[in-house]
PDB file of all heavy atoms in Angstrom:
ATOM      1  N   ASN A   5      60.396 164.064 156.473  1.00  0.00           N
ATOM      2  CA  ASN A   5      59.880 163.279 155.365  1.00  0.00           C
ATOM      3  C   ASN A   5      61.009 162.784 154.471  1.00  0.00           C
ATOM      4  O   ASN A   5      60.948 161.680 153.955  1.00  0.00           O
ATOM      5  CB  ASN A   5      58.918 164.110 154.530  1.00  0.00           C
ATOM      6  CG  ASN A   5      57.589 164.282 155.234  1.00  0.00           C
ATOM      7  OD1 ASN A   5      57.291 163.520 156.128  1.00  0.00           O
ATOM      8  ND2 ASN A   5      56.843 165.258 154.834  1.00  0.00           N
ATOM      9  N   VAL A   6      62.033 163.584 154.297  1.00  0.00           N
ATOM     10  CA  VAL A   6      63.181 163.197 153.474  1.00  0.00           C
ATOM     11  C   VAL A   6      63.909 162.065 154.172  1.00  0.00           C
ATOM     12  O   VAL A   6      64.327 161.088 153.550  1.00  0.00           O
ATOM     13  CB  VAL A   6      64.118 164.407 153.235  1.00  0.00           C
ATOM     14  CG1 VAL A   6      65.407 163.981 152.555  1.00  0.00           C
ATOM     15  CG2 VAL A   6      63.411 165.422 152.399  1.00  0.00           C
ATOM     16  N   ALA A   7      64.097 162.171 155.450  1.00  0.00           N
ATOM     17  CA  ALA A   7      64.789 161.130 156.198  1.00  0.00           C
ATOM     18  C   ALA A   7      64.001 159.836 156.137  1.00  0.00           C
ATOM     19  O   ALA A   7      64.582 158.750 156.003  1.00  0.00           O
ATOM     20  CB  ALA A   7      65.006 161.570 157.644  1.00  0.00           C
ATOM     21  N   GLU A   8      62.672 159.944 156.250  1.00  0.00           N
ATOM     22  CA  GLU A   8      61.857 158.744 156.161  1.00  0.00           C
ATOM     23  C   GLU A   8      61.950 158.150 154.762  1.00  0.00           C
ATOM     24  O   GLU A   8      62.015 156.923 154.607  1.00  0.00           O
ATOM     25  CB  GLU A   8      60.386 159.090 156.459  1.00  0.00           C
ATOM     26  CG  GLU A   8      60.088 159.260 157.900  1.00  0.00           C
ATOM     27  CD  GLU A   8      58.635 159.657 158.117  1.00  0.00           C
ATOM     28  OE1 GLU A   8      57.815 159.543 157.194  1.00  0.00           O
ATOM     29  OE2 GLU A   8      58.349 160.067 159.221  1.00  0.00           O
ATOM     30  N   ALA A   9      61.942 159.015 153.764  1.00  0.00           N
ATOM     31  CA  ALA A   9      62.030 158.551 152.381  1.00  0.00           C
ATOM     32  C   ALA A   9      63.378 157.865 152.144  1.00  0.00           C
ATOM     33  O   ALA A   9      63.460 156.816 151.504  1.00  0.00           O
ATOM     34  CB  ALA A   9      61.846 159.706 151.414  1.00  0.00           C
ATOM     35  N   VAL A  10      64.455 158.448 152.688  1.00  0.00           N
ATOM     36  CA  VAL A  10      65.790 157.867 152.533  1.00  0.00           C
ATOM     37  C   VAL A  10      65.825 156.521 153.241  1.00  0.00           C
ATOM     38  O   VAL A  10      66.375 155.539 152.739  1.00  0.00           O
ATOM     39  CB  VAL A  10      66.878 158.830 153.048  1.00  0.00           C
ATOM     40  CG1 VAL A  10      68.216 158.143 153.181  1.00  0.00           C
ATOM     41  CG2 VAL A  10      66.971 160.037 152.141  1.00  0.00           C
ATOM     42  N   ALA A  11      65.248 156.454 154.416  1.00  0.00           N
ATOM     43  CA  ALA A  11      65.226 155.195 155.164  1.00  0.00           C
ATOM     44  C   ALA A  11      64.440 154.148 154.405  1.00  0.00           C
ATOM     45  O   ALA A  11      64.834 152.973 154.333  1.00  0.00           O
ATOM     46  CB  ALA A  11      64.638 155.430 156.556  1.00  0.00           C
ATOM     47  N   GLU A  12      63.324 154.544 153.838  1.00  0.00           N
ATOM     48  CA  GLU A  12      62.523 153.602 153.068  1.00  0.00           C
ATOM     49  C   GLU A  12      63.283 153.154 151.815  1.00  0.00           C
ATOM     50  O   GLU A  12      63.241 151.983 151.437  1.00  0.00           O
ATOM     51  CB  GLU A  12      61.190 154.242 152.672  1.00  0.00           C
ATOM     52  CG  GLU A  12      60.177 154.232 153.792  1.00  0.00           C
ATOM     53  CD  GLU A  12      58.837 154.771 153.349  1.00  0.00           C
ATOM     54  OE1 GLU A  12      58.443 154.517 152.190  1.00  0.00           O
ATOM     55  OE2 GLU A  12      58.204 155.425 154.155  1.00  0.00           O
ATOM     56  N   LEU A  13      63.974 154.113 151.196  1.00  0.00           N
ATOM     57  CA  LEU A  13      64.761 153.768 150.003  1.00  0.00           C
ATOM     58  C   LEU A  13      65.866 152.793 150.356  1.00  0.00           C
ATOM     59  O   LEU A  13      66.169 151.876 149.592  1.00  0.00           O
ATOM     60  CB  LEU A  13      65.356 155.020 149.360  1.00  0.00           C
ATOM     61  CG  LEU A  13      64.388 155.866 148.546  1.00  0.00           C
ATOM     62  CD1 LEU A  13      65.064 157.152 148.078  1.00  0.00           C
ATOM     63  CD2 LEU A  13      63.891 155.103 147.345  1.00  0.00           C
ATOM     64  N   ARG A  14      66.491 153.027 151.530  1.00  0.00           N
ATOM     65  CA  ARG A  14      67.539 152.089 151.971  1.00  0.00           C
ATOM     66  C   ARG A  14      66.945 150.698 152.187  1.00  0.00           C
ATOM     67  O   ARG A  14      67.564 149.689 151.855  1.00  0.00           O
ATOM     68  CB  ARG A  14      68.190 152.595 153.246  1.00  0.00           C
ATOM     69  CG  ARG A  14      69.167 153.677 152.974  1.00  0.00           C
ATOM     70  CD  ARG A  14      69.973 153.984 154.216  1.00  0.00           C
ATOM     71  NE  ARG A  14      70.846 155.086 153.899  1.00  0.00           N
ATOM     72  CZ  ARG A  14      71.074 156.121 154.662  1.00  0.00           C
ATOM     73  NH1 ARG A  14      70.501 156.214 155.833  1.00  0.00           N
ATOM     74  NH2 ARG A  14      71.873 157.071 154.271  1.00  0.00           N
ATOM     75  N   THR A  15      65.786 150.615 152.722  1.00  0.00           N
ATOM     76  CA  THR A  15      65.123 149.333 152.954  1.00  0.00           C
ATOM     77  C   THR A  15      64.823 148.654 151.609  1.00  0.00           C
ATOM     78  O   THR A  15      65.079 147.463 151.424  1.00  0.00           O
ATOM     79  CB  THR A  15      63.821 149.537 153.749  1.00  0.00           C
ATOM     80  OG1 THR A  15      64.116 150.212 154.964  1.00  0.00           O
ATOM     81  CG2 THR A  15      63.131 148.237 154.065  1.00  0.00           C
ATOM     82  N   VAL A  16      64.288 149.444 150.687  1.00  0.00           N
ATOM     83  CA  VAL A  16      63.967 148.910 149.352  1.00  0.00           C
ATOM     84  C   VAL A  16      65.253 148.480 148.653  1.00  0.00           C
ATOM     85  O   VAL A  16      65.342 147.406 148.043  1.00  0.00           O
ATOM     86  CB  VAL A  16      63.198 149.952 148.518  1.00  0.00           C
ATOM     87  CG1 VAL A  16      63.080 149.524 147.066  1.00  0.00           C
ATOM     88  CG2 VAL A  16      61.832 150.222 149.124  1.00  0.00           C
ATOM     89  N   ARG A  17      66.264 149.364 148.803  1.00  0.00           N
ATOM     90  CA  ARG A  17      67.571 149.067 148.186  1.00  0.00           C
ATOM     91  C   ARG A  17      68.133 147.773 148.756  1.00  0.00           C
ATOM     92  O   ARG A  17      68.618 146.907 148.018  1.00  0.00           O
ATOM     93  CB  ARG A  17      68.535 150.221 148.429  1.00  0.00           C
ATOM     94  CG  ARG A  17      69.862 150.004 147.804  1.00  0.00           C
ATOM     95  CD  ARG A  17      70.736 151.249 148.005  1.00  0.00           C
ATOM     96  NE  ARG A  17      72.095 150.907 147.683  1.00  0.00           N
ATOM     97  CZ  ARG A  17      73.121 150.981 148.489  1.00  0.00           C
ATOM     98  NH1 ARG A  17      72.970 151.405 149.705  1.00  0.00           N
ATOM     99  NH2 ARG A  17      74.318 150.637 148.100  1.00  0.00           N
ATOM    100  N   SER A  18      68.089 147.598 150.061  1.00  0.00           N
ATOM    101  CA  SER A  18      68.589 146.380 150.701  1.00  0.00           C
ATOM    102  C   SER A  18      67.804 145.166 150.234  1.00  0.00           C
ATOM    103  O   SER A  18      68.366 144.097 149.970  1.00  0.00           O
ATOM    104  CB  SER A  18      68.478 146.482 152.228  1.00  0.00           C
ATOM    105  OG  SER A  18      69.516 147.271 152.729  1.00  0.00           O
ATOM    106  N   ALA A  19      66.506 145.320 150.143  1.00  0.00           N
ATOM    107  CA  ALA A  19      65.661 144.208 149.690  1.00  0.00           C
ATOM    108  C   ALA A  19      65.990 143.840 148.252  1.00  0.00           C
ATOM    109  O   ALA A  19      66.123 142.657 147.904  1.00  0.00           O
ATOM    110  CB  ALA A  19      64.186 144.565 149.846  1.00  0.00           C
ATOM    111  N   LEU A  20      66.152 144.868 147.391  1.00  0.00           N
ATOM    112  CA  LEU A  20      66.483 144.617 145.977  1.00  0.00           C
ATOM    113  C   LEU A  20      67.868 143.973 145.840  1.00  0.00           C
ATOM    114  O   LEU A  20      68.054 143.047 145.048  1.00  0.00           O
ATOM    115  CB  LEU A  20      66.419 145.914 145.167  1.00  0.00           C
ATOM    116  CG  LEU A  20      65.022 146.469 144.908  1.00  0.00           C
ATOM    117  CD1 LEU A  20      65.115 147.836 144.219  1.00  0.00           C
ATOM    118  CD2 LEU A  20      64.210 145.509 144.066  1.00  0.00           C
ATOM    119  N   LEU A  21      68.823 144.491 146.648  1.00  0.00           N
ATOM    120  CA  LEU A  21      70.166 143.894 146.616  1.00  0.00           C
ATOM    121  C   LEU A  21      70.125 142.443 147.093  1.00  0.00           C
ATOM    122  O   LEU A  21      70.763 141.568 146.521  1.00  0.00           O
ATOM    123  CB  LEU A  21      71.144 144.703 147.476  1.00  0.00           C
ATOM    124  CG  LEU A  21      71.712 145.958 146.834  1.00  0.00           C
ATOM    125  CD1 LEU A  21      72.558 146.739 147.848  1.00  0.00           C
ATOM    126  CD2 LEU A  21      72.562 145.621 145.621  1.00  0.00           C
ATOM    127  N   GLY A  22      69.366 142.180 148.139  1.00  0.00           N
ATOM    128  CA  GLY A  22      69.225 140.809 148.648  1.00  0.00           C
ATOM    129  C   GLY A  22      68.631 139.886 147.599  1.00  0.00           C
ATOM    130  O   GLY A  22      69.091 138.763 147.391  1.00  0.00           O
ATOM    131  N   GLU A  23      67.572 140.405 146.948  1.00  0.00           N
ATOM    132  CA  GLU A  23      66.948 139.605 145.886  1.00  0.00           C
ATOM    133  C   GLU A  23      67.920 139.389 144.724  1.00  0.00           C
ATOM    134  O   GLU A  23      68.005 138.283 144.181  1.00  0.00           O
ATOM    135  CB  GLU A  23      65.680 140.302 145.381  1.00  0.00           C
ATOM    136  CG  GLU A  23      64.505 140.216 146.311  1.00  0.00           C
ATOM    137  CD  GLU A  23      63.303 140.985 145.775  1.00  0.00           C
ATOM    138  OE1 GLU A  23      63.236 141.243 144.550  1.00  0.00           O
ATOM    139  OE2 GLU A  23      62.437 141.320 146.576  1.00  0.00           O
TER     140      GLU A  23
END
Side-chain angles (χ1 to χ4, degrees):
N5 285 341
V6 172
E8 282 178 14
V10 167
E12 280 184 36
L13 283 174
R14 282 190 183 136
T15 304
V16 170
R17 181 176 166 240
S18 282
L20 288 174
L21 280 174
E23 285 177 21

